Amino acid sequence: MERFLKDKEVKPNELSPLTLAFIGDTVFDLLVREELICDANRPANDLHHLAVERVRATAQAQGVEKIMPVLTEEETAVFKRGRNAKSGHQPKNVSRSDYHMATAMETLFGYLYLMNRTDRILELYRLIYG
């Protein structure tokens, strides 16, 4: 996976953590969806339910525990920026802690994607779901 709009300049270090999480959410979702369709040809409704189980904040927060030990210093700093970001809202049915951890992971995935470090994204994703 690499950036589609390579001709567009972007400076991930200058973007807010929530902006990074905005794109990181999609990157993570695409990985989950691709893995699900590669595993089996299923009805779309089944795929949707399986994807939701993996991309919900609680599941992402559990994944964070698997990747934290291998994050570089730079990645940890980006992760912490995302974890500490103030979003202004609390979604239903998820703890505040899980929500912040999920946002942090999405921030990291967004940062790595915009930095064209897609091999690293895949490495982290495989630690979560490998």
Side-chain angles (χ1 to χ4, degrees):
M1 174 192 311
E2 57 185 64
R3 285 189 55 216
F4 293 107
L5 302 176
K6 294 178 205 160
D7 60 322
K8 298 272 191 179
E9 184 180 340
V10 64
K11 297 177 181 175
N13 289 319
E14 296 178 7
L15 298 175
S16 76
L18 295 178
T19 299
L20 294 171
F22 175 77
I23 191 75
D25 175 61
T26 299
V27 169
F28 188 77
D29 188 59
L30 180 59
L31 283 167
V32 166
R33 288 170 181 252
E34 183 175 343
E35 183 175 29
L36 289 173
I37 65 153
C38 288
D39 287 347
N41 187 14
R42 298 178 172 109
N45 193 45
D46 292 352
L47 290 168
H48 171 74
H49 289 292
L50 290 167
V52 166
E53 284 300 310
R54 287 191 175 186
V55 300
R56 63 189 169 93
T58 305
Q60 289 181 351
Q62 291 169 350
V64 163
E65 295 174 18
K66 296 176 182 176
I67 65 171
M68 284 303 295
V70 302
L71 295 184
T72 66
E73 193 174 308
E74 174 190 17
E75 292 166 348
T76 300
V78 171
F79 179 89
K80 287 180 179 179
R81 283 182 57 213
R83 184 191 63 202
N84 297 331
K86 306 288 186 225
S87 68
H89 95 297
Q90 172 71 23
K92 298 182 214 174
N93 304 320
V94 64
S95 73
R96 185 175 225 96
S97 173
D98 283 355
Y99 178 72
H100 286 291
M101 288 299 188
T103 301
M105 189 183 78
E106 291 169 353
T107 299
L108 176 60
F109 274 53
Y111 175 83
L112 293 171
Y113 173 76
L114 293 174
M115 294 292 287
N116 287 310
R117 296 184 190 160
T118 54
D119 288 343
R120 181 61 170 160
I121 293 170
L122 193 54
E123 183 181 334
L124 295 174
Y125 179 81
R126 286 186 173 140
L127 285 173
I128 296 169
Y129 292 117

